[in-house]
Amino acid sequence: MRLLQKSYFILLAALLASCAASHKNFLKYVDPNIGTAHSRWFFYTPAAVPYGMAKLAPSTNGHYGNASGWEAVGYDTRQNSIEGFVNFHEWQVGGVSFMPSNGILKLKPGNLEGPKTGYRSGFDRKNQVAEPGYYKVLLDDYQITAELTATKRVGFHRYTFSKNDQSHIILDIGNKQGESGEVTDAALKMVDDTHFEGYVSTYPKYVALYDPEGKVSMYFYGEISRRPKSVTAFTSDEVFENKSFSEGKGAGLVLNYATAEKDQVEIKLGLSYTSTANAKENLVAEASGLNFDKAKENAQKVWQQQLGKIALTDTNQRNKIKFYTGLYHALLGRGIASDVNGSYPKHGGLTGKLPSTNGIEMPEFMNTDAIWGAFWNITQLWSLSYPQWYGNYVSTQLQVYKDKGWFGDGIANSEYVSGVGTNFVGLAIAGAYNAGIRNYDVQLAYQAVKENEMNWQNRKPGSGKMDTKAFMHYGFVPFLDRDKTDSTGSHYSASHTLEYSFSAFAAAQMAKSLNKNQDYDDLIKYSNGWKSIFNSKNKLMHPKNADGSYIEKLDPYEPWRGFQEGNAVQYTFYVPQNPAGLIQAMGKDIFNDKLDSIFSSSEKSGFGGGKQIDAFAGIKSIYNHGNQPCLHISWLFNFSGKPWLTQKWTRLICDEFYGTEPIHGYGYGQDEDQGQLGSWYVLASLGLFDVKGFTDARPIIELGSPLFKNAVIELGNSGKLTIKTIDNSAENLFIQSAKFNGKELDNCWLYRDELMKGGDLEFTMGKEPNKSWGIATPPPSEQ
């Protein structure tokens, strides 16, 4: 009887714990303001749902654009005036800005510096609320409160006015916003007293560079809760009273009202990348009969459910804020581009239709920056708990391949907007396949992956890998002493050699799984390209000329010469496909001493660029956590017989590189880059990682130092994994022992398919390293 009673109380406690977890408010741990110094255009968009097309946000400087096409722009925590609330935010995509005002009508946003000009308004951040799915601010100059929320494809604006006979809502659609580049065409008209529609076409810098015949267009259909007293039209040069249509660069309309105190006007805006008709259909499908408050409630329910897939129990509130803000950024970073009816934007303004899926939920077509480095963060997170988004990413790239003949190294509305030119799409797809995500045409996927690695004929610049021919011929990429990449080599030859070696390995593993034995033999040979540029004398990756000689006057800390966005010291450890081979080539003691000293030294600058506010802060340092090429390095000690150093340095990076302030969020004003750094924190703080990004034929999971007392993870296969720690604290960061489902773990890794069965993973932590734990069998290096 006592045994039954004990079992009952254990079951009851478990049920109560489960019930408590389901009622946690995960949103309260998300602070969208973290990292808003030097943030990218797509970064600060609180009024959105996960991976939504509608990403609404305030803009402090969006109309300035940026000279390089990718730099920080949009919302900057150091700026204290708002020029509008913009509806589209993606990589190279931005536009359709609304702004409420009152008094004398001004039709330019005005300047950030100097005397107040234009319609922008000052604001005080104590009067600002930013939460997942919702944004609110008081505009001081007008005493108007602006609120934003969204569904997937519909943006909601609510403006609460002060008493004024001259209140306005400015629909400023014809000017560049963020990364969008110059507007080439725009039009906007009132359809009737309370509806409007329009479009804006842009020519972003990266489209001009990599897909010059392309364009990016945004369409919208709006519904206003209150008929305006009058409508004013304007362009860059002219103003037209009582006119309800405007077209051309600088096009816009003004909705004029006489308002009493606390009068409200709501706007529902259906968005689309294909047509105003589809924008209207999106509006009807997602927002018919839906008011602002209900839309906000629904948006925050979605965020609660998605964030709650990983439920933490811990007393360290700061770490929970870092964790859930990082997870929020991961789930916000990319956005859908397809409509409710399956239409999606094709090259040059054409419209495609996603194929029918015979009753299965239709995949979404996604807009996305390059996947450079994302196999060390977001794809692993997708694989863990959000596999539908990994599947959507693969389906998108396969559609681009069918439409254009090549994967896109970064895409905006199907246009090539190559990010770094090395195109890791094939690697990401191989990782998806080997992780068991296969809801697509596998044979087509393999064909595209193989061509991405080995084919150079008629290759389009926006597909990246323009030096593939040279890599295939030499087994490495020769150095070009000019800032260029072509069929003969690249100025970034060493980093390209390392990256192509890794992606060849991934494709080889997919070939092996599909019994493509000859392809496997060919590809695995190229995966050893790194050996061609490893200099055994200086123990560095050293760029080579086409004749096989090393380039002269190598400065190990110099970026941009042989190495893209990094230097020889950082990239020397870029052999994730074969860490054991690198360790052997360098010598185990030299490897461990060198790597440990790198982290000891880089800790002094916060593992990045110190307190410099810049995306490339840290690019000359010996370790730069703020950029993708370094993100796996702290996990390499698991392969070199010193897993306690992986535990130490991953924990300290979580503690010191990541912050909870607007400036110290990701380093000090470094580039979060579509949720990649946030995803890394989520994985590292759970103590889970794979340096190969699941590209092994049988992927593994490495174990690090988990931060939290308890984490319950909803796995993507509907299972559940609980990670528990005993005696965990800021000081007790070293694993003393570990168990998985009651069985002792002697190694610092396990196979991913075992982990994905779910159950209990338990760590006992301590202040001093247990140097006998985790070293029995190192993780498999070459498969």
Side-chain angles (χ1 to χ4, degrees):
M1 187 68 161
R2 287 180 182 175
L3 196 58
L4 287 173
Q5 284 179 328
K6 185 177 180 181
S7 298
Y8 167 77
F9 284 117
I10 290 172
L11 178 61
L12 180 61
L15 288 171
L16 288 172
S18 175
C19 183
S22 69
H23 286 89
K24 285 181 180 176
N25 178 8
F26 299 105
L27 274 63
K28 73 179 182 179
Y29 298 113
V30 176
D31 183 354
N33 298 297
I34 290 173
T36 46
H38 203 275
S39 60
R40 298 280 292 280
W41 171 247
F42 44 68
F43 179 81
Y44 185 79
T45 52
V49 296
Y51 299 111
M53 178 188 295
K55 289 184 174 178
L56 280 65
S59 176
T60 63
N61 62 7
H63 88 277
Y64 282 83
N66 52 66
S68 298
W70 64 269
E71 296 162 313
V73 67
Y75 182 92
D76 189 323
T77 191
R78 297 165 295 176
Q79 297 168 352
N80 298 304
S81 63
I82 288 172
E83 64 177 32
F85 302 95
V86 186
N87 292 271
F88 286 96
H89 289 82
E90 294 294 347
W91 165 236
Q92 300 294 293
V93 182
V96 187
S97 178
F98 296 170
M99 182 66 178
S101 70
N102 55 34
I104 297 172
L105 182 61
K106 298 175 183 178
L107 296 175
K108 302 289 184 184
N111 300 322
L112 267 168
E113 306 294 338
K116 285 189 177 180
T117 59
Y119 57 66
R120 71 169 56 243
S121 170
F123 73 107
D124 189 324
R125 283 182 171 80
K126 72 180 182 183
N127 296 321
Q128 175 182 254
V129 176
E131 301 169 348
Y134 178 66
Y135 179 82
K136 177 181 179 180
V137 69
L138 174 65
L139 300 172
D140 289 344
D141 290 15
Y142 307 118
Q143 291 301 296
I144 296 171
T145 298
E147 297 172 273
L148 310 172
T149 191
T151 66
K152 270 188 178 182
R153 300 171 178 87
V154 181
F156 287 72
H157 299 245
R158 181 164 67 188
Y159 303 125
T160 302
F161 288 89
S162 55
K163 178 177 171 54
N164 201 303
D165 290 338
Q166 298 183 76
S167 292
H168 318 288
I169 300 175
I170 303 164
L171 312 180
D172 189 349
I173 71 153
N175 296 297
K176 65 184 176 185
Q177 287 291 331
E179 296 172 351
S180 69
E182 294 296 331
V183 169
T184 58
D185 191 18
L188 171 63
K189 67 177 181 181
M190 298 297 297
V191 177
D192 56 36
D193 286 346
T194 56
H195 294 87
F196 61 89
E197 67 180 22
Y199 69 90
V200 55
S201 294
T202 63
Y203 195 46
K205 181 163 185 173
Y206 274 57
V207 173
L209 285 171
Y210 297 109
D211 222 344
E213 295 180 0
K215 64 178 180 178
V216 170
S217 294
M218 295 155 274
Y219 300 86
F220 53 91
Y221 182 89
E223 179 178 296
I224 317 164
S225 65
R226 178 176 166 182
R227 173 184 176 179
K229 180 176 67 174
S230 65
V231 177
T232 302
F234 64 94
T235 65
S236 298
D237 305 314
E238 296 182 89
V239 179
F240 308 93
E241 299 293 343
N242 298 311
K243 183 179 177 183
S244 58
F245 171 74
S246 180
E247 63 181 338
K249 293 184 69 171
L253 294 178
V254 183
L255 312 178
N256 301 303
Y257 295 91
T259 57
E261 191 70 23
K262 298 195 181 303
D263 270 0
Q264 291 186 332
V265 178
E266 294 186 16
I267 301 175
K268 291 192 281 192
L269 193 72
L271 306 179
S272 173
Y273 292 116
T274 60
S275 69
T276 53
N278 281 340
K280 182 178 181 180
E281 186 173 345
N282 291 341
L283 175 66
V284 171
E286 294 186 3
S288 182
L290 194 65
N291 65 18
F292 186 96
D293 289 327
K294 188 62 178 176
K296 174 193 171 187
E297 179 185 339
N298 291 347
Q300 298 203 311
K301 280 182 180 177
V302 172
W303 277 112
Q304 172 74 0
Q305 189 271 335
Q306 292 294 301
L307 293 168
K309 285 180 179 286
I310 307 178
L312 302 177
T313 302
D314 201 85
T315 57
N316 190 314
Q317 302 300 300
R318 180 178 167 85
N319 285 346
K320 287 164 81 172
I321 289 169
K322 291 182 188 180
F323 183 95
Y324 284 110
T325 303
L327 183 54
Y328 160 79
H329 285 143
L331 297 174
L332 188 67
R334 289 159 168 78
I336 59 172
S338 48
D339 299 315
V340 292
N341 61 17
S343 297
Y344 71 94
K346 287 178 71 173
H347 174 63
L350 301 175
T351 297
K353 197 71 174 275
L354 296 174
S356 173
T357 54
N358 298 320
I360 303 171
E361 185 177 358
M362 185 183 294
E364 304 278 17
F365 189 92
M366 299 172 70
N367 271 330
T368 171
D369 193 357
I371 203 82
W372 197 54
F375 35 78
W376 289 324
N377 35 69
I378 201 162
T379 65
Q380 294 190 43
L381 182 59
W382 281 343
S383 300
L384 186 70
S385 294
Y386 306 91
Q388 74 276 20
W389 288 107
Y390 207 165
N392 286 339
Y393 176 81
V394 173
S395 295
T396 297
Q397 287 290 348
L398 291 179
Q399 190 64 55
V400 171
Y401 174 77
K402 287 189 285 187
D403 291 344
K404 304 182 74 169
W406 300 92
F407 290 142
D409 182 39
I411 53 172
N413 286 16
S414 288
E415 311 296 1
Y416 290 142
V417 283
S418 182
V420 289
T422 51
N423 197 329
F424 274 113
V425 173
L427 184 148
I429 291 177
Y433 178 83
N434 290 332
I437 298 168
R438 302 175 183 178
N439 57 336
Y440 45 85
D441 184 335
V442 170
Q443 293 303 322
L444 176 69
Y446 175 72
Q447 173 188 322
V449 168
K450 179 184 173 182
E451 289 194 12
N452 195 51
E453 298 308 315
M454 302 182 76
N455 192 6
W456 64 83
Q457 294 178 329
N458 301 313
R459 191 157 192 137
K460 297 177 180 178
S463 67
K465 291 184 181 288
M466 297 307 292
D467 45 358
T468 299
K469 181 179 181 180
F471 181 66
M472 293 287 107
H473 177 72
Y474 295 100
F476 66 92
V477 177
F479 177 73
L480 301 182
D481 199 11
R482 59 190 184 281
D483 190 3
K484 186 177 182 181
T485 297
D486 61 25
S487 62
T488 66
S490 175
H491 191 62
Y492 308 129
S493 60
S495 58
H496 283 198
T497 298
L498 297 167
E499 290 167 323
Y500 298 170
S501 298
F502 183 23
S503 56
F505 170 87
Q509 303 310 303
M510 190 175 183
K512 177 195 278 188
S513 299
L514 293 170
N515 297 314
K516 311 281 188 182
N517 296 326
Q518 185 58 55
D519 287 351
Y520 171 79
D521 291 340
D522 293 340
L523 286 159
I524 206 68
K525 177 180 67 176
Y526 289 113
S527 75
N528 290 314
W530 66 273
K531 295 179 180 179
S532 299
I533 63 167
F534 180 75
N535 188 332
S536 59
K537 292 182 179 179
N538 60 22
K539 307 295 184 185
L540 292 169
M541 296 298 173
H542 195 147
K544 275 187 172 180
N545 299 305
D547 63 6
S549 62
Y550 292 115
I551 67 169
E552 297 179 352
K553 298 179 181 179
L554 176 70
D555 178 352
Y557 306 102
E558 181 184 4
W560 305 113
R561 183 173 182 254
F563 302 93
Q564 189 164 15
E565 298 191 20
N567 57 42
V569 175
Q570 295 171 9
Y571 268 103
T572 289
F573 297 94
Y574 201 114
V575 190
Q577 73 274 21
N578 188 6
L582 177 63
I583 292 163
Q584 183 180 18
M586 193 176 289
K588 182 181 283 190
D589 290 342
I590 293 174
F591 178 92
N592 282 324
D593 291 346
K594 188 172 185 177
L595 194 54
D596 191 34
S597 67
I598 281 173
F599 284 108
S600 295
S601 178
S602 63
E603 185 182 12
K604 298 169 187 174
S605 58
F607 301 104
K611 296 188 178 182
Q612 181 184 0
I613 299 177
D614 188 88
F616 288 130
I619 197 170
K620 297 179 180 179
S621 64
I622 55 177
Y623 177 80
N624 180 23
H625 194 78
N627 214 6
Q628 285 86 340
C630 292
L631 294 181
H632 68 297
I633 296 175
S634 55
W635 294 86
L636 292 176
F637 294 107
N638 281 339
F639 291 85
S640 63
K642 293 192 174 185
W644 59 91
L645 291 177
T646 281
Q647 296 155 33
K648 173 183 176 179
W649 294 118
T650 57
R651 175 72 77 95
L652 291 177
I653 290 167
C654 286
D655 288 347
E656 297 173 24
F657 177 84
Y658 293 86
T660 57
E661 296 81 39
I663 292 178
H664 180 200
Y666 299 90
Y668 281 80
Q670 289 193 259
D671 180 5
E672 216 304 37
D673 215 350
Q674 290 189 299
Q676 290 202 44
L677 292 176
S679 299
W680 192 96
Y681 183 93
V682 169
L683 293 166
S685 67
L686 294 172
L688 306 175
F689 194 79
D690 177 29
V691 299
K692 301 185 194 182
F694 301 150
T695 58
D696 276 327
R698 189 185 181 192
I700 67 167
I701 291 281
E702 297 171 58
L703 304 176
S705 178
L707 266 70
F708 301 103
K709 181 178 180 181
N710 196 76
V712 179
I713 303 167
E714 291 182 26
L715 300 173
N717 58 15
S718 301
K720 186 172 288 186
L721 174 68
T722 300
I723 300 175
K724 304 175 182 177
T725 62
I726 299 169
D727 295 332
N728 202 351
S729 68
E731 295 78 24
N732 291 3
L733 55 87
F734 294 105
I735 298 171
Q736 306 300 300
S737 63
K739 295 178 181 178
F740 185 47
N741 290 330
K743 183 180 178 181
E744 293 285 346
L745 282 178
D746 296 322
N747 297 320
C748 60
W749 64 279
L750 66 163
Y751 285 109
R752 181 183 180 276
D753 53 13
E754 294 174 346
L755 185 82
M756 293 300 287
K757 292 176 183 176
D760 294 330
L761 181 59
E762 182 178 283
F763 297 91
T764 299
M765 310 300 290
K767 190 173 184 179
E768 299 297 327
N770 178 358
K771 296 184 179 181
S772 63
W773 181 85
I775 61 171
T777 304
S781 191
E782 282 189 291
Q783 284 194 11

